[in-house]
Amino acid sequence: MSEINISVVVCAYNEEVELNNCLESIKLEIGVRKDVEVIIVDNESNDRTGEIALDFILRCNNELRVRCLRVKHVSLTSSRNTALSYCRGTYVLFVDGDAAVGKGWLFNLMNKFEDDVGIVAGNVANLHPENIFSDFIYTSHFRCSLDAEHRSKLIGANMGFNKAVLKQIGGFHGANLNRGDETCLTGLYSLKMPEFKTVHAPDSIVYNAFPSSLFEWVKQQYIGGRSNITVLKILGENRIKEHIKVIIKLSSLLFLPHLLLYSMTVHSLFVIHFVVYILRVLYSVKHICCGINRLYKKKRLLQAAMFVPISLLGIFCSDLGAIAEVLRSFNKEIDNKPAPLSSVINDEQSAFYL
């Protein structure tokens, strides 16, 4: 039996629509390589996710090392850590169950690993460009976020790790994190492993599902706002800096009610509030301008105009989530330990895996 060098992890919860396409795309990328294992983590789905994973094992029974772990339902961080405890490869690659890998994904990601590289951040594209809202929000909001110079390129749908480095960090932290876990990990990596680098692999593309409706997107922004507060606490950010961020977010939320309450009456308190609100919006001006510019270049003038109010709505929902998490976790000790492993309900393996 050849030695396993790469472990590909697919975490899935209720992904019956996209999972088969995801697994088949990975199989196509692996080809005849015998040094790769695929570990599917079914997070106690209540749809056909587990059945689809088992069917895939049967189809690849004698040609691919593939394993399906059905685990008791946990957060995404715990699901990933559970998979990590079973990985036998030197390198661990994570792909979302609602995604599909592009041609050259595996080679281009692995080609970036060197002795001093602990993390390789892959690229993402839109899995459903035919959906008008999905294409709009990916082209403007997500693409601008991913391309921003000050932002980490690491995204959960397409990321690779030197397993030894990942284990030394303790794996994924934050037992309640279902979003932002890669942001948290990047921060811990910078603090604990400064001798290792993060490298971007722009040609390693995973086609990921993005929000297909305004409701889905604002819900995602709300959850992201909550997760952002948890990540700040796990990373132990300066308390004064954290409090300033919270005050600015709270001021942003209260600006419109304040405006309506005083019916445009100008007074010193309102002026101060207005200045704080503008500071919050200015933080996102570059991002908003980027989105408008990308849409304008594609001659989507109506969408470019709509991006401003939709961005402000996204900021509002993100801030609302942040304040909700501050209130929920007030005076509570943050759990900054690695996310606990889940118990495995069932473990199925292909014959070739053994």
Side-chain angles (χ1 to χ4, degrees):
M1 179 184 293
S2 60
E3 185 178 349
I4 294 176
N5 186 45
I6 303 167
S7 298
V8 178
V9 175
V10 180
C11 293
Y13 174 64
N14 289 349
E15 298 293 359
E16 64 177 8
V17 175
E18 305 288 1
L19 183 60
N20 187 64
N21 186 40
C22 172
L23 297 175
E24 288 295 338
S25 70
I26 291 171
K27 178 185 175 184
L28 191 63
E29 275 294 283
I30 294 172
V32 296
R33 293 186 63 156
K34 305 303 180 186
D35 64 336
V36 183
E37 66 173 353
V38 178
I39 297 179
I40 309 161
V41 183
D42 172 16
N43 200 354
E44 205 170 11
S45 302
N46 49 37
D47 64 358
R48 294 182 59 250
T49 292
E51 182 184 332
I52 291 167
L54 295 180
D55 285 345
F56 181 73
I57 288 177
L58 289 175
R59 292 200 305 275
C60 305
N61 200 34
N62 295 308
E63 55 182 311
L64 189 67
R65 287 194 175 93
V66 56
R67 181 177 204 164
C68 179
L69 305 171
R70 181 171 173 83
V71 301
K72 189 171 180 58
H73 189 70
V74 285
S75 65
L76 178 58
T77 46
S78 289
S79 181
R80 284 178 169 159
N81 279 351
T82 303
L84 181 62
S85 70
Y86 281 82
C87 291
R88 296 189 288 174
T90 304
Y91 302 97
V92 182
L93 316 181
F94 287 90
V95 177
D96 286 352
D98 61 349
V101 304
K103 187 175 182 180
W105 160 76
L106 183 61
F107 174 82
N108 290 321
L109 199 68
M110 291 301 302
N111 197 42
K112 292 291 184 178
F113 276 108
E114 297 178 3
D115 291 342
D116 62 344
V117 175
I119 301 177
V120 175
N123 204 351
V124 292
N126 188 12
L127 183 63
H128 297 297
E130 73 283 356
N131 181 283
I132 294 174
F133 187 84
S134 179
D135 187 48
F136 160 69
I137 209 67
Y138 168 77
T139 301
S140 53
H141 175 74
F142 283 97
R143 196 67 257 174
C144 287
S145 295
L146 293 169
D147 293 343
E149 292 180 4
H150 68 285
R151 295 286 295 271
S152 168
K153 304 294 184 185
L154 193 66
I155 185 166
N158 185 14
M159 54 187 183
F161 302 89
N162 180 316
K163 187 176 74 173
V165 171
L166 186 55
K167 285 209 163 188
Q168 197 163 335
I169 297 171
F172 294 87
H173 286 57
N176 297 317
L177 279 178
N178 278 307
R179 285 189 64 81
D181 56 326
E182 67 272 22
T183 304
C184 183
L185 186 71
T186 302
L188 292 169
Y189 175 70
S190 299
L191 292 171
K192 296 183 177 184
M193 314 289 289
E195 69 274 23
F196 285 92
K197 298 187 298 187
T198 297
V199 176
H200 183 42
D203 295 327
S204 174
I205 299 174
V206 163
Y207 294 86
N208 195 35
F210 288 88
S212 58
S213 68
L214 179 61
F215 174 77
E216 190 179 336
W217 183 66
V218 296
K219 180 181 177 182
Q220 192 178 85
Q221 292 299 102
Y222 175 81
I223 295 170
R226 295 192 64 169
S227 297
N228 181 254
I229 296 298
T230 304
V231 170
L232 289 179
K233 291 184 176 182
I234 291 173
L235 296 179
E237 183 158 322
N238 180 283
R239 299 292 291 182
I240 295 175
K241 187 177 178 181
E242 182 185 328
H243 289 158
I244 290 173
K245 284 185 177 181
V246 170
I247 289 170
I248 290 175
K249 289 176 183 292
L250 182 59
S251 296
S252 174
L253 286 178
L254 296 177
F255 177 70
L256 186 58
H258 191 174
L259 178 65
L260 295 174
L261 179 66
Y262 286 95
S263 301
M264 295 296 290
T265 303
V266 178
H267 56 91
S268 56
L269 182 60
F270 178 78
V271 171
I272 293 171
H273 198 166
F274 179 74
V275 170
V276 174
Y277 177 73
I278 291 300
L279 287 174
R280 173 67 179 107
V281 173
L282 281 176
Y283 180 77
S284 300
V285 163
K286 188 175 181 180
H287 176 81
I288 294 172
C289 289
C290 171
I292 292 172
N293 186 49
R294 288 181 64 90
L295 292 166
Y296 178 77
K297 285 182 177 179
K298 291 179 177 288
K299 302 188 187 310
R300 302 178 187 175
L301 303 184
L302 179 59
Q303 289 186 0
M306 288 297 298
F307 186 60
V308 175
I310 288 177
S311 289
L312 294 177
L313 177 62
I315 291 171
F316 177 85
C317 292
S318 176
D319 289 348
L320 185 63
I323 299 304
E325 184 59 29
V326 168
L327 294 174
R328 189 202 68 82
S329 60
F330 181 73
N331 225 15
K332 292 181 181 178
E333 195 168 321
I334 189 70
D335 181 10
N336 60 1
K337 300 186 294 295
L341 305 185
S342 178
S343 56
V344 177
I345 301 169
N346 191 37
D347 180 1
E348 295 286 344
Q349 304 166 19
S350 63
F352 189 68
Y353 191 88
L354 302 176

